Amino acid sequence: MNVHYSKKLPHAFVVRPDKLKKLVELFQNHVGKVAISVKCADGFSREFKTVKELIGYENSKSKEIRYIRLSARSDNYSKSASVDFAGGLFQRGVSIDFEACEELVFQLRDKTHSIVEGMRPWYSWMSRINFEFTALAIFFIFYLVVRQVRLWWPVLDQNIKPWVLIIILFLFIILLITASFFGKKLFPPTAFTIGQGESRFKVLEKIRWGLVIAFFVSFGAGLVLLGVQIFLDKSL
């Protein structure tokens, strides 16, 4: 008796050649011949006969990979397996689907999850942030704080001209839009490091680490200065 297993993993992933080879080898050894299909940024779908052929794909920016599907089926149609890596606007994440005898499905599930888990990037949790919603929420909170401050301290309300607040709000909106745009660019939920995609990913990785390191250095320096200031105030 066959059983069916289906799972959707919404976390971020980085598809590397070595992981693709492992998945293809797993399906070939336990299910059957693997079919490889790809959807690209130019609107074309491409079929590859082997994983070596896929890895050799140039993956230029104009023809960048957005979706990869690995599927296999036995000759007698008693076993099937598929893994989809989707990087589209409305469908993102990894989809897994198996159908076979229970023992084989357990084996395929455990090994596939182990391989896919190794594709998760270090910034996975950040890629799940909805930057537009976060920016809107921060703006709303900022507006409420400014409004309350003007109500609590009438003197402040008299000293600050309306046009000053308008400029501050405008600059704040620009800052949030910029942060939202770069947030999605720097922490993409999907990446295919095949061909030119590898160099693009490495460039972004350097920028990401540079920002993270800069943040912690600035934060640490701020804490040190605050500690020094508190020490001097107590000493005096």
Side-chain angles (χ1 to χ4, degrees):
M1 182 184 69
N2 278 5
V3 296
H4 180 257
Y5 174 80
S6 181
K7 185 72 173 179
K8 173 75 173 181
L9 305 174
H11 64 70
F13 61 85
V14 179
V15 178
R16 304 180 188 276
D18 60 324
K19 301 299 183 183
L20 285 173
K21 289 179 181 178
K22 287 183 178 180
L23 285 172
V24 170
E25 184 179 353
L26 175 66
F27 290 178
Q28 284 179 341
N29 292 340
H30 294 87
V31 180
K33 185 178 180 181
V34 178
I36 304 172
S37 59
V38 170
K39 293 180 182 178
C40 305
D42 59 359
F44 286 92
S45 296
R46 293 174 169 84
E47 306 289 332
F48 297 91
K49 295 180 180 179
T50 64
V51 67
K52 183 178 180 181
E53 187 179 343
L54 171 59
I55 293 172
Y57 179 65
E58 189 63 26
N59 197 21
S60 60
K61 186 65 178 176
S62 61
K63 301 177 181 180
E64 185 178 5
I65 295 174
R66 297 287 176 82
Y67 175 96
I68 293 179
R69 176 178 173 82
L70 306 177
S71 60
R73 186 178 294 275
S74 62
D75 294 334
N76 60 1
Y77 296 94
S78 63
K79 300 178 291 185
S80 66
S82 67
V83 176
D84 297 80
F85 299 97
L89 182 62
F90 301 105
Q91 183 183 6
R92 294 176 177 175
V94 184
S95 299
I96 301 172
D97 194 276
F98 301 130
E99 187 171 349
C101 65
E102 189 169 345
E103 182 180 355
L104 179 57
V105 169
F106 273 122
Q107 188 176 0
L108 289 171
R109 183 198 65 179
D110 293 344
K111 290 185 177 181
T112 301
H113 275 282
S114 178
I115 295 171
V116 172
E117 189 64 28
M119 297 180 176
R120 191 192 295 254
W122 63 270
Y123 61 83
S124 179
W125 65 275
M126 295 190 68
S127 67
R128 300 184 68 176
I129 297 174
N130 188 320
F131 288 98
E132 288 85 356
F133 178 79
T134 303
L136 183 63
I138 293 174
F139 171 74
F140 183 69
I141 293 171
F142 178 79
Y143 171 78
L144 290 179
V145 169
V146 171
R147 187 170 179 272
Q148 285 300 115
V149 166
R150 296 185 67 183
L151 290 174
W152 289 340
W153 290 303
V155 175
L156 185 64
D157 187 34
Q158 294 173 5
N159 293 334
I160 297 181
K161 302 297 182 182
W163 62 268
V164 175
L165 289 176
I166 292 174
I167 291 176
I168 292 174
L169 288 173
F170 178 75
L171 292 176
F172 194 72
I173 292 172
I174 295 298
L175 178 63
L176 290 179
I177 293 174
T178 304
S180 174
F181 174 78
F182 283 104
K184 290 188 293 184
K185 291 292 183 181
L186 289 176
F187 303 100
T190 59
F192 300 93
T193 59
I194 296 171
Q196 296 180 22
E198 183 178 4
S199 60
R200 291 194 294 267
F201 182 79
K202 286 181 177 179
V203 170
L204 284 177
E205 192 71 348
K206 290 180 180 178
I207 296 174
R208 282 190 287 264
W209 277 110
L211 289 175
V212 170
I213 292 172
F215 170 77
F216 282 108
V217 168
S218 301
F219 184 73
L223 290 178
V224 170
L225 290 174
L226 179 62
V228 171
Q229 184 64 44
I230 292 173
F231 176 77
L232 292 175
D233 289 343
K234 288 185 177 181
S235 300
L236 297 175

